[in-house]
């Protein structure tokens, strides 16, 4: 069964304090849904080299055991509560994708 992934890039972050509040709710919700953080840049160190659009802001990649699990985690009550805390001052490109087996 192919894995599922949450892929997020943040082209603009103007309210880091409220983004941190969202993170405190979203992290446990993602873990409860079976998600594993693979990439959290630049929050946890790591390096990034940007090409084309040149976005070096925050990048998040979360792995789930299946695409269905990734969708269910997003739709979960716990994650929906976290989304309420997601700040207006943050631009995010978010998608759920199915991996290649």
């Amino acid at each position: 069964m192919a894995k599922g992934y949450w892929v997020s890039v943040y082209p603009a972050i103007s309210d880091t304090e409220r983004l941190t509040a969202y993170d405190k709710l979203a992290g446990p919700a993602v873990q409860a849904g079976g998600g594993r953080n693979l990439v959290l840049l630049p929050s946890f160190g790591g390096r990034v080299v940007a090409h084309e659009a040149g976005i070096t802001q925050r990048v998040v990649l979360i792995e789930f055991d299946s695409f269905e699990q990734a969708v269910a985690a997003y739709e979960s009550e716990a994650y929906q509560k976290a989304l309420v805390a997601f700040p207006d001052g943050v631009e995010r490109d978010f998608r759920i994708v199915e991996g290649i087996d």
Side-chain angles (χ1 to χ4, degrees):
M1 178 179 293
K3 294 185 179 190
Y5 297 89
W6 287 12
V7 182
S8 303
V9 293
Y10 293 68
I13 300 172
S14 62
D15 193 339
T16 56
E17 190 172 299
R18 287 195 59 211
L19 184 57
T20 300
Y22 157 80
D23 286 343
K24 288 180 182 178
L25 296 170
V30 168
Q31 288 180 339
R36 295 172 297 282
N37 293 319
L38 299 181
V39 175
L40 292 168
L41 295 174
S43 303
F44 292 94
R47 299 181 290 173
V48 61
V49 175
H51 296 281
E52 284 78 40
I55 297 169
T56 60
Q57 286 280 26
R58 178 175 161 138
V59 176
V60 178
L61 177 62
I62 300 172
E63 180 182 62
F64 294 84
D65 289 335
S66 70
F67 179 78
E68 291 76 18
Q69 187 181 34
V71 171
Y74 183 87
E75 294 173 349
S76 72
E77 183 178 340
Y79 189 72
Q80 292 303 304
K81 286 181 182 177
L83 280 178
V84 171
F86 193 80
D88 292 333
V90 174
E91 181 183 343
R92 173 170 77 162
D93 181 355
F94 175 91
R95 53 199 77 202
I96 300 172
V97 297
E98 184 173 35
I100 300 171
D101 205 24

